Amino acid sequence: MLFKFDLMTPEQGIIDITKEVCQSIKESGVSEGICVIFCPHTTAAITINENADPDVRSDFVFGMNKAFPDDNEFRHSEGNSDAHLKSSSIGASETLIISRGAPLLGRWQGVYFCEFDGPRTRQFFVKVIRS
């Protein structure tokens, strides 16, 4: 089954979408399988990261900006080359194992939508596949 979600994003940040992923798995009725979370945008991404300490989210954005700063030497006319680099380094998708009707995540893990060029109205997709 394929699920589509719309999301309003901040200028930059990582948004916890674990609830939506779990909801999709539950609605699918799949107890054993895989789940793919996909972002169809070139300046956003999907990642799995810690969900216990909210400081991880701000540190993530800080670290990405340090690793990929905006630079006047970029030639891309839209002025968001740093966002493209960040998106490509993180990736457009994540794949999760579904076990007993739930995503197999570590104790401190959550699924995040990463925004590098907002604020925007974004979409992400969750594909649930029975094994």
Side-chain angles (χ1 to χ4, degrees):
M1 293 183 94
L2 182 65
F3 300 86
K4 176 183 163 190
F5 294 91
D6 294 316
L7 184 64
M8 289 298 300
T9 64
E11 182 177 345
Q12 289 191 59
I14 62 174
I15 299 103
D16 190 347
I17 59 170
T18 310
K19 180 177 154 185
E20 290 86 347
V21 171
C22 291
Q23 172 189 333
S24 299
I25 293 169
K26 184 177 180 179
E27 285 184 31
S28 76
V30 172
S31 61
E32 301 293 326
I34 60 169
C35 173
V36 178
I37 305 97
F38 174 72
C39 167
H41 306 286
T42 60
T43 57
I46 302 292
T47 194
I48 296 171
N49 212 310
E50 181 180 326
N51 67 358
D53 181 354
D55 286 337
V56 170
R57 294 183 212 183
S58 57
D59 289 350
F60 181 94
V61 172
F62 175 79
M64 292 301 288
N65 287 335
K66 292 286 268 185
F68 300 99
D70 191 9
D71 192 310
N72 291 333
E73 293 184 41
F74 286 138
R75 297 175 62 180
H76 181 47
S77 63
E78 290 181 30
N80 59 357
S81 290
D82 62 315
H84 289 287
L85 292 168
K86 293 168 188 173
S87 171
S88 290
S89 71
I90 301 300
S93 67
E94 288 286 350
T95 302
L96 297 172
I97 297 168
I98 300 169
S99 179
R100 299 180 185 175
L104 190 59
L105 288 167
R107 179 178 185 171
W108 307 112
Q109 289 181 320
V111 182
Y112 291 92
F113 185 97
C114 306
E115 176 60 73
F116 301 118
D117 191 31
R120 295 184 184 257
T121 301
R122 299 289 200 172
Q123 297 175 333
F124 66 93
F125 295 88
V126 178
K127 177 73 173 178
V128 181
I129 304 165
R130 185 180 319 271
S131 63

